[in-house]
Amino acid sequence: MPTSTISYLWRDPGAPRPFQTGVSLHGHTNESQETLDFVADWGSQYALVRPFLERLERRSSGRHGIKIDWATSYWTPPLTPKLAFDLESDQIAKLGLQPLVSISDHDNIQAPLKLRSLPSSRHIPISVEWSAPYGGKQSFHLGIHNLPSARATQWMADLAEFTKNPSDARFTEILVALNKEPNVLVVFNHPIWDLFRIGQQKHEFLVNEFLQKNGAHVHALELNGLRGWEENRSVHRLGERWNMQLISGGDRHGIEPNANINLTNATSFNEFVAEIRKEHISNILFMPQYAEPLKHRILCSTMDAIRDYPDFPQGSQTWDQRTFHQDAHGVVRPLSELWPGGRAPRVLQAIISTVRMMGRRPISASLRYAWKDSRELGFDLGDQEAY
């Protein structure tokens, strides 16, 4: 039977003491391409936003010959692989633990490959967050951790081929093959999140159908550090329903370190995988940042995405250097190279300035207070009633 323990550092500062290692899973770097199609969703959801977007789209197409495509444009998180690795390692080291860090960018393994060239991170596992189509209109995110070095490139080609030509039978074949890799860890990331907004009821039907077919080849369900208490409680119940292990996953995109980690006495990532897969033991620790209001944390993460970092490497310093779109010839380029005169349109500058203002004190502090729900802190992730 799977054994998952959940502790909270703000309640139990001594929780890490019986362990010697902390494991950070599911963090992103500037190698990760994050879609901008949520911007189009804003236009659909908020009537006040739509006129601004329509004006932006008209001007881009009419004046500059660039038709805005929110679905294929993307942004990248601000941290380089080394900065992300150091951020996660330092948080764990401050607990008196040895750090193990697994970075899993969307559908590519460039970050761990680059980190393996550095002495301080040469043992990092090769991991990826795979966007796997399922059910026609949905896509599940699976954390594939610790791919074998000699076959990692071939595995990525196989995953990419499936993404282009998905089928239920092939999905199962891939998961069976991954399960046969003894040191690979397969995690169903944020399983309750209806990422593509097909409707929560339909999404959860597909999740349960997927687990019925493939649950034996998935090693754990993720409690996500950037999703809310109630959603993670639903993941807890999902794990109980399917008798599945729970595991941490911070899903960091900004400069706040992961809001949860795993605690273990394993001294290598292979040993940690064996603990999850064979011993069926998972000890999850939620960090103090998870106790902060989720809306405020999302605002801070948004601020991280649009903030300027003058000390970062060239190409990562401003938000428009980290945001990409096709030019009039179909070549993907950073927005900083596409703006007429080298400056963003005034309406976009105004929006960015407004969001940045929300992140400054005293507005940020006021919003944090307004969003705080102390009742949440009276719950454990598995509880239905306050204790």
Side-chain angles (χ1 to χ4, degrees), residues 69-258:
D69 186 342
W70 300 110
T72 59
S73 54
Y74 63 91
W75 65 281
T76 61
L79 293 184
T80 64
K82 181 63 165 61
L83 289 172
F85 178 85
D86 289 346
L87 178 74
E88 299 298 337
S89 297
D90 290 348
Q91 175 178 238
I92 293 169
K94 288 176 182 176
L95 298 175
L97 303 171
Q98 292 297 315
L100 290 176
V101 178
S102 182
I103 287 172
S104 50
D105 284 327
H106 288 290
D107 302 307
N108 82 82
I109 54 174
Q110 293 307 306
L113 292 180
K114 289 180 178 180
L115 285 166
R116 284 196 164 193
S117 67
L118 304 175
S120 62
S121 54
R122 65 180 180 274
H123 297 303
I124 191 171
I126 299 177
S127 306
V128 64
E129 184 174 28
W130 177 34
S131 305
Y134 186 81
K137 294 184 178 181
Q138 190 58 292
S139 182
F140 295 147
H141 286 185
L142 300 182
I144 314 297
H145 300 271
N146 207 29
L147 287 167
S149 300
R151 297 186 296 280
T153 302
Q154 182 57 54
W155 265 117
M156 291 305 300
D158 292 343
L159 300 183
E161 176 58 31
F162 171 85
T163 301
K164 292 179 181 178
N165 301 289
S167 75
D168 286 358
R170 179 59 181 151
F171 202 170
T172 299
E173 288 177 3
I174 288 175
L175 291 173
V176 168
L178 285 168
N179 193 41
K180 289 180 179 178
E181 299 277 6
N183 297 316
V184 167
L185 182 67
V186 179
V187 179
F188 195 163
N189 290 348
H190 43 71
I192 297 297
W193 185 14
D194 178 17
L195 188 59
F196 288 85
R197 296 179 181 171
I198 64 173
Q200 192 63 38
Q201 186 175 5
K202 183 175 181 180
H203 169 72
E204 292 188 24
F205 172 84
L206 291 175
V207 167
N208 282 282
E209 179 186 74
F210 169 76
L211 291 176
Q212 183 180 35
K213 295 177 180 178
N214 302 296
H217 319 302
V218 176
H219 305 129
L221 304 177
E222 179 193 65
L223 296 179
N224 187 281
L226 265 183
R227 305 302 297 170
W229 287 81
E230 186 53 46
E231 183 174 311
N232 277 330
R233 288 189 198 104
S234 296
V235 175
H236 189 284
R237 293 192 292 270
L238 186 69
E240 290 180 334
R241 183 182 311 137
W242 291 101
N243 195 30
M244 293 186 67
Q245 193 74 273
L246 301 176
I247 201 168
S248 67
D251 205 5
R252 176 195 43 73
H253 286 75
I255 60 174
E256 175 192 86
N258 277 352

Side-chain angles (χ1 to χ4, degrees), residues 44 58 94 141 184 204 223 238 243 245 259 276 283 288 292 326-327 349 357 360 364 371 381:
S44 301
R58 282 197 307 271
K94 288 176 182 176
H141 286 185
V184 167
E204 292 188 24
L223 296 179
L238 186 69
N243 195 30
Q245 193 74 273
I276 300 295
N283 300 291
E292 293 294 313
Q326 293 180 357
D327 63 16
Q349 292 182 47
M357 184 174 61
R360 299 192 186 108
S364 177
W371 285 330
L381 291 181

